[in-house]
Every structure is written in structure tokens, then in C-alpha cells.
């Protein structure tokens, strides 16, 4: 409308540009119009304004949640357009209109319908999240047994823009006493065998065959593989008759325990020793083994031994006849020895013996007469007195040598001659035994016209002397005198 000079009026900015709001101040001065657009501002995108957005094929109209200043950006949730996404869609506002939007920040979720093939221990399993997962989140502590029942431990599932990935921390299961047993057949018996200790996968453990069948020996080897037991090796065999297991038997009326000399397999024959059952017999005892139980089957080779108390034989030693017995029991057909000294005194060496079914015989006599040692004592008569004497030195058998006269009769000194044979003494001659002069001996001598009798102060042995003071004879005398002894005869020598 017309304007008077010097007046002004307002005009809507949107009438000039629909993208602006506010007013333009128009003035009139002498028919000249002036305008001031400073009151015009760009329109914002107001809250509640609807926009149509498309995300991954899903298009929705949504209200802008907050005002967006023109030239700036705002956002709406990606899930508002497509529930399969998280994040925000960036909206660009210009002059009151959303001119463009950016969905690059929208990340796809991983849902329970998504799956991932995971391989473990040669097996592949398809796994899904237990609940919907937003991108960048992880589900922890999933059991490895979900992937392969032979494994333990945990694994994780991670979602990244709709793509699942797994991180494994799994190990093969071991076996323990709670692991399901394995059925083992041993002979005509079978039984469930369990691990009696903890073992790793790939480990083994041995159990006795006799735990399943008492008639068998050997080992059953159990293997553990990924938490399951299996029988890998069996060395079971029928129980034999071992060398330490006794067998009750009778040998010629005497019962006792026999032992196999070597292991006898079941169903086979073997031997024991007759003497284990009846000590009076030697030889092989026939045995039979039946599933670990032995029995005596044959005693025909059991023959009498030669014992120290029940067997003897005549033997001639150095022309003399004697009886010899074995020093130790001799088995039939075997050899033995007896010392000569056990048969006849005074001889050394051995008598070789042999035994034939209880009959003792002499094979060889190797007896040597013993010498007469200084420790040997024999009878001797010296000066009519019976006593004993010993060799002064060792005298070989069938030889003569000296013996002490004084040992037989203390009134005599010197050595007699003796004969030695087989550690026995015989006096040959005592002529060299000389009588001593006892203190009772008396000898008379004349001195200074007087006759005096003197005796030894101590016994004087043959060929020895004794010197005494003269005043012991008479106080009138001084000096010494000497007594001598010759084979019991006392004399004054000076």
C-alpha cells in the first residue's frame, strides 16, 4: 500500500525467500524506498518435522527429535528407520529443509538368527548369539563343549557391524575317576574299568587284567582322548604258575610245598624240586599248571639223598678203617666232601663222596697226617714222674724233634726227643733230661780243717751255679763260695 514519505512498514522475509523467516524493514523518503533485511534469518528444521529416510532398504517417516539450525546437522537413531541397526543417522538442515542425510554411522546388529561356523578339533559347529548383540559388543564364557564335546574351556563371540567372530580358549578334556568307564573283556569275563587317577588327553593308565578276571594276569592299558576312555592295549593271558606260588604235593608219604623252578603257563607242564616237599629226596618233581593252580603229577624222578645222619660209608685212611658221613646233604647223583679231621684225628684234607639214591660211596681219599705244633700236648714220664710235654718247635709228621723236660717234671731241665705222627706224640728218649738240684740238696766241704754242709738257697738247674756268702756257713768266714749242679749232683766249685 502507499506509504507516506518518512514512514516505514514491515514485509515478511519469506515473501522474498521461502527459506527465511522474520521481517524486512521498508522505509519511504521523498518517494525513495529503502530496505533493511537484517531481521531475516534462515529457517531451522524444527522439532517434530517429519522426514522420510531409507536405511538398508527400509524407508520410514520420522519426526526430527530436536531443532536443527540451518547449516548445521542433527541426528535420529538408526533403529528408528531399521531395527537391525544401531547408531545415528546424521541429518543436514538448510533453510528449513533436510537436504541430505548420512547413514554411514549405522552399524548392523548381530541377532539370535545370525550364525557362525566355528571349527574345533576337526569338528565344525554353527553358533548364534544367545541374545541380540549390538556392534562392538562381546558375549563371554561360552562353553567350548558347545563346539566339540571333547573340549573344555570357554570362547567368546564378538559382533562387528553384523559380522560374528569367535576367540577360542579351549583345551582337550582329560579323564578322571568320574569319566564314564570302558567295558573290558578278559577271557570269559567282562567288566567296566574306570580311571583311578586324573590324566590328560592322550595319556594312558594301566590296570590289572585280574581286576576283570582273577584267572588272568597282565595289564589292560586305557587311553584318554578328549574326555573319553578307550582300551588301547591288552596283554592279558591266563594266570600261569609263578615261581613264588606254592603247590601242595606229596613225595613218598610226606606232604609239603613245591615251587616251580620256572614260570609254567596254564595248560603246560613244568618241574619243581622234590626236596622242597620231602627233604630226603632230590630230583625233578613233575608239575602241571591249570589257570594259575598247580598240582604234582610225577614223583618218579625223586630219588633219595645222602644225609649227614642217615648215610655212611667205610673209608680207609692210612691203613685204618673208619666210617665217614657227608658234611652236608648230598643230592642223588651229586658229589660232596667230608674233612678228614671229622673222620680221624690228626689228618687234614678231604674225602670225596658221591650219592646214588641214598647210597654213599667214597670216590677219593686225600688225607695227610698233621704235624705236631708247639700247642700240642702229649704224655711223658721223666724221672719216674708222669706228666705232659709239648714240642719246642713244629715237628712234621713221621719226624722226631725236641720237647720240654721241665713241662713233664719240674725237677728236670733240657729237651727230650719225641716222635710225631698225625698230631700224636711218642717219647723216644729222656736221656737228655737233666735233674736240677733242689734246696734240699746237701753237699759237704772242708775249710780250714773244718767240715761243713751247705744247700742251695734256690733250686739250681743242671749246669748252672749259685754264689753265696761264706758267712752264711760260719760267721768266722768272709768271702763267697759257688755251688754247681750236674744232673742233680750238687758240688762246691770254689
Amino acid at each position: 500500500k502507499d506509504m507516506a514519505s518518512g514512514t516505514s512498514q514491515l514485509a515478511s522475509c519469506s515473501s522474498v525467500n521461502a527459506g527465511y523467516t522474520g521481517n524486512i524493514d521498508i522505509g519511504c523518503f521523498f518517494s525513495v524506498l529503502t530496505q533493511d533485511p537484517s531481521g531475516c534469518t534462515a529457517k531451522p528444521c524444527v522439532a517434530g518435522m517429519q522426514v522420510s529416510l531409507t536405511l538398508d532398504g527400509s524407508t520410514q517417516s520420522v519426526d526430527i527429535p530436536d531443532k536443527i539450525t540451518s547449516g548445521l546437522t542433527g541426528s535420529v537413531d538408526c533403529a528408528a528407520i531399521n531395527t537391525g541397526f544401531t547408531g545415528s543417522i546424521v541429518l543436514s538442515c538448510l533453510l528449513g529443509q533436510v537436504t541430505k542425510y548420512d547413514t554411514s554411522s549405522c552399524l548392523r546388529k548381530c541377532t539370535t538368527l545370525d550364525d557362525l561356523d566355528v571349527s574345533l578339533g576337526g569338528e565344525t559347529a554353527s553358533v548364534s548369539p544367545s541374545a541380540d548383540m549390538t556392534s562392538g559388543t562381546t558375549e563371554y564364557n561360552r562353553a567350548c563343549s558347545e563346539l566339540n564335546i571333547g573340549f573344555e574351556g570357554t570362547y567368546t563371540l564378538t559382533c562387528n557391524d553384523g559380522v560374528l567372530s569367535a576367540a577360542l580358549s579351549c583345551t582337550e578334556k582329560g579323564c578322571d575317576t568320574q569319566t564314564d568307564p570302558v567295558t573290558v573283556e578278559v577271557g570269559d569275563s567282562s567288566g567296566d574299568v574306570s580311571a583311578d587317577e586324573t590324566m590328560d588327553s592322550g595319556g594312558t593308565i594301566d590296570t590289572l587284567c585280574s581286576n576283570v578276571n582273577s584267572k588272568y594276569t597282565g595289564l589292560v592299558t586305557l587311553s584318554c582322548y578328549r574326555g573319553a576312555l578307550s582300551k588301547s592295549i591288552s596283554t592279558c593271558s591266563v594266570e600261569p604258575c609263578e615261581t613264588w606260588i606254592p603247590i601242595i604235593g606229596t613225595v613218598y608219604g610226606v606232604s609239603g610245598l613245591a615251587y616251580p623252578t620256572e614260570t609254567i603257563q596254564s595248560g603246560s607242564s613244568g618241574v619243581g624240586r622234590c626236596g622242597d616237599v620231602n627233604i630226603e629226596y632230590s630230583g625233578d618233581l613233575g608239575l602241571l599248571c591249570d589257570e594259575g593252580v598247580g598240582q604234582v603229577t610225577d614223583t618218579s624222578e625223586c630219588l633219595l639223598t645222602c644225609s649227614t645222619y642217615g648215610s655212611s660209608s667205610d673209608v680207609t685212611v692210612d691203613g685204618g678203617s673208619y666210617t665217614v658221613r657227608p658234611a652236608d646233604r648230598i643230592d642223588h647223583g651229586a658229589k660232596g666232601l667230608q674233612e678228614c679231621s671229622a673222620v680221624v684225628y690228626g689228618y687234614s684234607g678231604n674225602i670225596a663222596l658221591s650219592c646214588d639214591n641214598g647210597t654213599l660211596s667214597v670216590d677219593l681219599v686225600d688225607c695227610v697226617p698233621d704235624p705236631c705244633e708247639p700247642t700240642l700236648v702229649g704224655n711223658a714220664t721223666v724221672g719216674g714222674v708222669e706228666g705232659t710235654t709239648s714240642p719246642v718247635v713244629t715237628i712234621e709228621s713221621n719226624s722226631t724233634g725236641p720237647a720240654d723236660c721241665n713241662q713233664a717234671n719240674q725237677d728236670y731241665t733240657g729237651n727230650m726227643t719225641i716222635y710225631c705222627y698225625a698230631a700224636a706224640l711218642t717219647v723216644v728218649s729222656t736221656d737228655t733230661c737233666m735233674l736240677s738240684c733242689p734246696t734240699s740238696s746237701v753237699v759237704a766241704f772242708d775249710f780250714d780243717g773244718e767240715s761243713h754242709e751247705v744247700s742251695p738257697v734256690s733250686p739250681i738247674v743242671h749246669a748252672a751255679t749259685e754264689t753265696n756268702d761264706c758267712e752264711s756257713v760260719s760267721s768266722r768266714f768272709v768271702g763267697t763260695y759257688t755251688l754247681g749242679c750236674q744232673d742233680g749232683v750238687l758240688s762246691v766249685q770254689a
Side-chain angles (χ1 to χ4, degrees), residues 360-379:
L360 185 68
S361 59
V362 176
D363 294 338
L364 177 66
V365 178
D366 184 19
C367 296
V368 178
D370 291 334
C372 295
E373 302 288 349
T375 55
L376 182 66
V377 177
N379 295 324

Side-chain angles (χ1 to χ4, degrees), residues 41 78 81 87 101 123 175 209 248 269 273-274 287 300 368 371 398 484:
T41 59
C78 301
I81 308 304
Y101 60 93
E123 295 184 9
C175 301
C209 301
I248 299 174
S269 298
R273 289 178 289 271
C274 301
L287 304 175
S300 63
V368 178
N398 199 29

Side-chain angles (χ1 to χ4, degrees), residues 20-36:
Y20 283 81
T21 187
N23 294 304
I24 302 172
D25 187 5
I26 300 174
C28 178
F29 187 74
F30 296 109
S31 299
V32 176
L33 291 175
T34 61
Q35 61 179 0
D36 181 7

Side-chain angles (χ1 to χ4, degrees), residues 14 23-24 43 77 81 83 174 231 260 269 288 293 342 384-385 457:
S14 59
N23 294 304
I24 302 172
K43 285 184 179 179
D77 289 339
I81 308 304
T83 56
K231 182 186 74 173
S269 298
L288 177 65
V293 178
V385 175
V457 176

Side-chain angles (χ1 to χ4, degrees), residues 209-233:
C209 301
S210 58
N211 291 339
V212 179
N213 190 329
S214 61
K215 296 179 181 180
Y216 280 70
T217 186
L219 297 173
V220 175
T221 300
L222 302 181
S223 297
C224 176
Y225 181 69
R226 295 180 180 176
L229 286 174
S230 63
K231 182 186 74 173
S232 59
I233 301 175

Side-chain angles (χ1 to χ4, degrees), residues 406-459:
N406 184 257
Q407 184 179 346
N409 187 336
Q410 293 184 356
D411 290 336
Y412 285 79
T413 59
N415 292 324
M416 68 183 80
T417 300
I418 59 173
Y419 172 73
C420 173
Y421 193 83
L425 301 178
T426 303
V427 176
V428 175
S429 172
T430 60
D431 291 345
T432 53
C433 293
M434 297 299 172
L435 185 61
S436 300
C437 296
T439 57
S440 59
S441 301
V442 177
V443 63
F445 75 98
D446 292 332
F447 183 74
D448 196 22
E450 295 180 4
S451 180
H452 298 275
E453 290 184 347
V454 294
S455 298
V457 176
S458 300

Side-chain angles (χ1 to χ4, degrees), residues 111-404:
T111 71
T112 57
L113 299 178
D114 294 326
D115 57 29
L116 173 68
D117 289 340
V118 181
S119 296
L120 176 61
E123 295 184 9
T124 301
S126 180
V127 295
S128 300
S130 57
D132 288 351
M133 301 172 63
T134 58
S135 180
T137 60
T138 300
E139 183 178 353
Y140 295 95
N141 297 324
R142 297 281 298 246
C144 294
S145 57
E146 295 177 357
L147 308 177
N148 188 323
I149 195 171
F151 285 76
E152 58 190 359
T154 60
Y155 71 98
T156 60
L157 280 180
T158 299
C159 178
N160 185 14
D161 195 16
V163 178
L164 289 170
S165 62
L168 308 184
S169 181
C170 303
T171 57
E172 292 184 350
K173 284 184 180 179
C175 301
D176 56 25
T177 56
Q178 303 302 313
T179 303
D180 290 341
V182 61
T183 299
V184 176
E185 294 183 356
V186 178
D188 57 0
S189 299
S190 64
D192 290 339
V193 179
S194 302
D196 57 6
E197 62 184 52
T198 300
M199 56 179 168
D200 295 333
S201 179
T204 61
I205 191 171
D206 292 331
T207 185
L208 296 175
C209 301
S210 58
N211 291 339
V212 179
N213 190 329
S214 61
K215 296 179 181 180
Y216 280 70
T217 186
L219 297 173
V220 175
T221 300
L222 302 181
S223 297
C224 176
Y225 181 69
R226 295 180 180 176
L229 286 174
S230 63
K231 182 186 74 173
S232 59
I233 301 175
S234 174
T235 59
C236 298
S237 59
V238 180
E239 186 78 27
C241 295
E242 300 288 1
T243 56
W244 60 84
I245 299 177
I247 299 172
I248 299 174
T250 301
V251 174
Y252 295 106
V254 176
S255 295
L257 300 177
Y259 294 86
T261 56
E262 295 180 351
T263 299
I264 307 174
Q265 299 300 325
S266 180
S268 299
S269 298
V271 296
R273 289 178 289 271
C274 301
D276 289 343
V277 179
N278 187 339
I279 195 173
E280 302 297 337
Y281 288 82
S282 64
D284 289 339
L285 185 66
L287 304 175
L288 177 65
C289 182
D290 181 19
E291 294 184 344
V293 178
Q295 58 180 322
V296 175
T297 57
D298 185 11
T299 61
S300 63
E301 293 189 21
C302 294
L303 299 175
L304 281 168
T305 62
C306 294
S307 67
T308 59
Y309 49 81
S311 300
S312 63
S313 178
D314 293 335
V315 62
T316 300
V317 178
D318 205 8
S321 182
Y322 303 93
T323 299
V324 62
R325 298 180 184 276
D328 298 294
R329 185 182 298 275
I330 305 174
D331 289 345
H332 163 75
K335 305 289 186 180
L337 294 174
Q338 178 58 280
E339 293 182 355
C340 298
S341 60
V343 177
V344 55
Y345 172 78
Y347 287 82
S348 298
N350 292 301
I351 301 172
L353 306 171
S354 60
C355 180
D356 182 14
N357 195 21
T359 300
L360 185 68
S361 59
V362 176
D363 294 338
L364 177 66
V365 178
D366 184 19
C367 296
V368 178
D370 291 334
C372 295
E373 302 288 349
T375 55
L376 182 66
V377 177
N379 295 324
T381 300
V382 177
V385 175
E386 293 183 359
T388 60
T389 189
S390 299
V392 176
V393 295
T394 298
I395 305 173
E396 295 299 325
S397 183
N398 199 29
S399 300
T400 60
D404 187 10

